[in-house]
Amino acid sequence: MTIDYNAKMPEKQDGTQVYNTDPLIVKSHYEIDYIHSYAQDSEFFRAMGKKKLMGSKCKKCSYTYATPRSHCMMCGAETEWYELPKEGRIHTFTTCYFGSEAFLKETPFNLIMVEFEGVDSLFMSRLIGAELEDMKVGMKVRARFKRNLEFSPTDVYFVPVEEK
Amino acid sequence: MGKLSRNVYMVSGGVTKFTKASPDMDFRLRVKKAFDYAMNDVNMELKDIDGSVASYFSDHFQRQLMSGVMVQDYLGLTPKPSRRVEGGGATGGLSFQAGVEEIASGRMDTCAVYGFESMSHVNTWKGNEFIALASDTNFDYPVGGFYTGYYAMMAARYLHEFGATVEQLAQVSVKNHKNALSNPYAQSPMNLTIQDVRNSPMVSYPLTRLDVCAMSDGAAVAILADEKRAFELSDNPVLVKGIGSGTDTMRLADRPFGKVPLLAHEKESDYKNLKYPGVHSFRAGRTAAAEAYKNAGITNPIEEIDVVELHDAYTSSEIQTYEDLGLCKYGEGANFVSEGKADLKGKVPVNPSGGLLACGHPVGATGIMQAVFVFWQLQRTIKKHFGNDKLQISNPKRGLLHSHAGTGTYVTVSIMEAVK
């Protein structure tokens, strides 16, 4: 028997941050690290280390994807990896002046959807080297890759291409 | 795909006033307020409810999973059947339709659909992060991480594709904020000019702060019933004439460039050179409309619908949605608003309540709120519930409600019809 009739919970010194007392509003903290697998998309992230932008091509109906997916949305068949051209054109664009908390420090940043000749779908990326007033639908852009990979889709980004 | 197998009616509704933050109530009490309002309006008691559907979007905002059963519990509805339905911004519309299906299938004779979201538990930028997690976390979230950014790219392409202007987008904001001046439930009623909208801080080009809805705390409840119970409970129930829903790819990048799925009043030659949907239109919205119209027997929506509450999380989405709903042809949406056709006194009033832009957008509650406002319009009871009749459309016969999730991934369209 180890009964202790005078048992006491140890006190903590952390306290709680209080914003308001009526109603009582307190700070509640939460954070988590995920063990995120890129699974069937892994090759896309690895290929950027070789300065390659990989999309997908359907083995059955030949539909091509600028953003990879391992099965075709048109016919359901398996796709194969397909190297995209380095140059494309702006399909649409924006400049974000605000954003999610995780990205606020990066604002303002440009987002574009890139279209590649002969490829049926688009690719979303960041564009640097141009301001809002410089970006136009149809503008030629080129992929560049970071040297130190973060294994994030931001390992590739686009810059404007001078057109003569 | 066919019609509902038995008639479903909405018999009552309730909404809390949407606010930026109401920490004096939690989600359970908020739903309770809207629920009691709806129950009292038709003198229902808890024993009259067969079951429910819980409508809420994110577990992140409250860091509370199973919020649905906590509401069920708080309302006193345990041990009756209930389930949660979730589909991003369209959560409310999908839940409403799930409730309709409970009645149509014969499983339940009465069903309470309750929606809620308490977004004030985190700051706006953290909230944007939570919402952005509803984009592909392999390819889209790490690049943009911001839903307004995604919609802004759709809006920019829309402007390019159809030659619309940012001032025309702003007109949606002016209209909806103005309508809300007479809606006591609205979060941000405002008298604005086009210049006010354009001069407010740019969030993501071309969308300014006033082109974008706010985050909110709020709740809304719709009570549905079969024909027998509906007329026992109310002398003025409203028939759910048809429902439809559609989906599209999670990633904007994957949207195809094909042909427009035509509505009954459209011809292939209307859209000879249009690549559809691309990123300028919402194919799920068109799909939902086509199904709902077929079931409701609507062949010319602009002539057969008298009031619309649609998902205007962004001014651009309202314009894009006019077209998906066939209120005008693709490419004519911007002129539809600038010619006043969507005004309170226009051809078909769109968002007479003020919409999401002015009422706020507590995600899970939003689609239910739209159902309640359309229901009151068709009951012709706006005066009773708003305390004034400035927003009452005169003798509306048929109303449309439209609920929409991130970049048009899930969209629902439901048609309601006055029977009295």
Side-chain angles (χ1 to χ4, degrees):
Chain A
M1 291 290 276
T2 50
I3 287 179
D4 176 357
Y5 293 105
N6 294 310
K8 259 184 110 175
M9 195 70 88
E11 296 293 336
K12 291 182 188 170
Q13 302 301 315
D14 307 355
T16 290
Q17 189 174 325
V18 174
Y19 298 104
N20 206 332
T21 52
D22 187 19
L24 184 58
I25 305 177
V26 300
K27 183 172 187 169
S28 149
H29 183 73
Y30 182 58
E31 65 178 53
I32 190 162
D33 287 317
Y34 284 95
I35 303 162
H36 183 93
S37 172
Y38 284 123
Q40 68 271 20
D41 294 333
S42 297
E43 177 58 19
F44 171 83
F45 296 91
R46 287 193 297 258
M48 287 192 286
K50 291 176 239 158
K51 300 192 185 307
K52 284 183 180 177
L53 194 54
M54 300 302 286
S56 308
K57 183 174 190 174
C58 179
K59 287 181 185 172
K60 191 171 160 204
C61 75
S62 299
Y63 197 89
T64 47
Y65 296 89
T67 316
R69 50 189 293 156
S70 59
H71 283 83
C72 180
M73 67 176 184
M74 291 297 175
C75 72
E78 203 175 22
T79 62
E80 58 195 3
W81 290 98
Y82 168 85
E83 189 177 347
L84 296 163
K86 295 283 187 310
E87 289 188 352
R89 291 184 186 276
I90 293 182
H91 183 76
T92 188
F93 62 91
T94 187
T95 301
C96 297
Y97 297 88
F98 293 93
S100 299
E101 195 169 270
F103 301 97
L104 275 183
K105 59 184 183 303
E106 298 170 25
T107 59
F109 58 82
N110 300 324
L111 278 183
I112 58 170
M113 304 287 302
V114 185
E115 53 183 48
F116 298 99
E117 195 161 345
V119 179
D120 296 310
S121 79
L122 306 174
F123 183 75
M124 186 192 293
S125 194
R126 297 274 185 102
L127 177 83
I128 63 167
E131 309 261 300
L132 175 61
E133 51 274 22
D134 303 318
M135 290 188 290
K136 300 279 179 291
V137 169
M139 189 172 148
K140 207 168 183 184
V141 292
R142 178 168 56 90
R144 300 193 73 160
F145 298 89
K146 286 185 188 158
R147 198 172 59 231
N148 296 339
L149 297 188
E150 293 174 81
F151 294 100
S152 155
T154 51
D155 286 345
V156 63
Y157 57 94
F158 284 77
V159 295
V161 175
E162 195 173 2
E163 286 197 87
K164 305 260 161 50
Chain B
M1 305 242 280
K3 293 188 176 189
L4 297 171
S5 43
R6 63 177 190 158
N7 282 346
V8 180
Y9 292 79
M10 183 161 166
V11 294
S12 192
V15 183
T16 64
K17 181 183 168 64
F18 292 175
T19 61
K20 184 73 188 166
S22 301
D24 50 316
M25 285 186 274
D26 75 359
F27 61 105
R28 294 168 295 180
L29 181 52
R30 247 192 287 284
V31 175
K32 174 70 173 160
K33 300 262 180 193
F35 179 71
D36 281 353
Y37 187 96
M39 294 287 280
N40 292 336
D41 202 36
V42 282
N43 297 313
M44 287 178 85
E45 296 171 30
L46 289 178
K47 66 172 173 50
D48 298 320
I49 300 286
D50 287 347
S52 69
V53 179
S55 170
Y56 60 105
F57 158 58
S58 178
D59 297 305
H60 291 73
F61 279 99
Q62 301 185 148
R63 195 156 69 87
Q64 172 66 66
L65 276 70
M66 300 271 280
S67 300
V69 82
M70 291 173 74
V71 172
Q72 183 82 352
D73 166 354
Y74 195 83
L75 296 179
L77 289 176
T78 49
K80 297 174 190 205
S82 185
R83 66 182 142 136
R84 177 216 189 152
V85 170
E86 190 275 320
T91 296
L94 291 165
S95 297
F96 179 80
Q97 296 191 344
V100 169
E101 288 155 3
E102 293 283 24
I103 307 290
S105 69
R107 181 187 182 207
M108 294 182 193
D109 292 335
T110 56
C111 179
V113 184
Y114 48 76
F116 58 91
E117 210 80 43
S118 298
M119 305 173 83
S120 68
H121 295 232
V122 295
N123 69 50
T124 296
W125 309 119
K126 184 55 88 177
N128 272 302
E129 202 176 297
F130 290 166
I131 292 167
L133 288 170
S135 63
D136 186 317
T137 52
N138 279 9
F139 291 99
D140 290 350
Y141 174 78
V143 178
F146 189 32
Y147 251 104
T148 306
Y150 307 149
Y151 278 92
M153 285 196 285
M154 298 189 85
R157 183 68 199 191
Y158 181 92
L159 299 180
H160 171 83
E161 195 78 45
F162 298 123
T165 67
V166 292
E167 286 75 20
Q168 288 177 305
L169 301 183
Q171 279 178 290
V172 172
S173 179
V174 172
K175 167 179 75 72
N176 293 356
H177 284 98
K178 187 172 174 217
N179 287 348
L181 289 168
S182 307
N183 179 355
Y185 295 97
Q187 179 170 330
S188 341
M190 279 187 269
N191 221 335
L192 297 171
T193 64
I194 291 172
Q195 271 320 304
D196 292 334
V197 179
R198 292 314 300 167
N199 291 342
S200 75
M202 187 63 74
V203 178
S204 195
Y205 176 84
L207 303 173
T208 73
R209 177 63 199 83
L210 291 171
D211 283 302
V212 183
C213 69
M215 291 190 205
S216 315
D217 285 351
V221 171
I223 299 177
L224 303 167
D226 74 314
E227 191 156 292
K228 179 169 168 288
R229 290 296 283 135
F231 285 93
E232 285 167 7
L233 291 163
S234 170
D235 65 347
N236 194 4
V238 166
L239 178 67
V240 180
K241 185 79 175 166
I243 62 172
S245 67
T247 55
D248 215 329
T249 64
M250 180 60 139
R251 304 185 304 210
L252 272 184
D254 290 353
R255 304 284 163 89
F257 296 88
K259 283 186 176 175
V260 178
L262 301 174
L263 295 176
H265 67 290
E266 294 175 324
K267 300 186 297 289
E268 203 166 326
S269 60
D270 293 341
Y271 303 122
K272 257 188 294 209
N273 298 314
L274 184 61
K275 300 261 189 276
Y276 185 89
V279 297
H280 54 76
S281 296
F282 302 119
R283 183 173 54 158
R286 173 49 67 102
T287 308
E291 186 192 353
Y293 291 163
K294 185 164 164 264
N295 291 338
I298 291 172
T299 53
N300 191 2
I302 187 75
E303 299 301 334
E304 297 170 59
I305 293 164
D306 305 311
V307 57
V308 173
E309 287 285 342
L310 66 78
H311 192 99
D312 58 329
Y314 304 93
T315 52
S316 46
S317 333
E318 174 161 329
I319 287 175
Q320 290 159 318
T321 298
Y322 298 150
E323 301 171 359
D324 301 325
L325 299 179
L327 300 178
C328 59
K329 293 211 171 84
Y330 280 105
E332 294 174 355
N335 288 339
F336 191 82
V337 70
S338 55
E339 286 164 8
K341 288 182 177 157
D343 287 356
L344 195 55
K345 307 275 183 215
K347 179 75 185 159
V348 52
V350 176
N351 289 326
S353 69
L356 284 56
L357 283 167
C359 291
H361 183 20
V363 185
T366 302
I368 316 294
M369 164 199 79
Q370 294 171 318
V372 176
F373 289 155
V374 169
F375 169 72
W376 287 339
Q377 285 285 0
L378 296 172
Q379 272 198 321
R380 300 174 305 283
T381 55
I382 287 288
K383 187 174 183 181
K384 174 181 168 191
H385 299 289
F386 281 18
N388 73 80
D389 64 358
K390 291 204 184 82
L391 299 174
Q392 178 67 61
I393 313 298
S394 72
N395 281 320
K397 180 72 184 149
R398 221 175 255 150
L400 182 152
L401 44 142
H402 162 275
S403 190
H404 163 124
T407 69
T409 43
Y410 289 109
V411 180
T412 69
V413 170
S414 306
I415 309 288
M416 297 212 282
E417 195 171 277
V419 291
K420 190 180 177 182

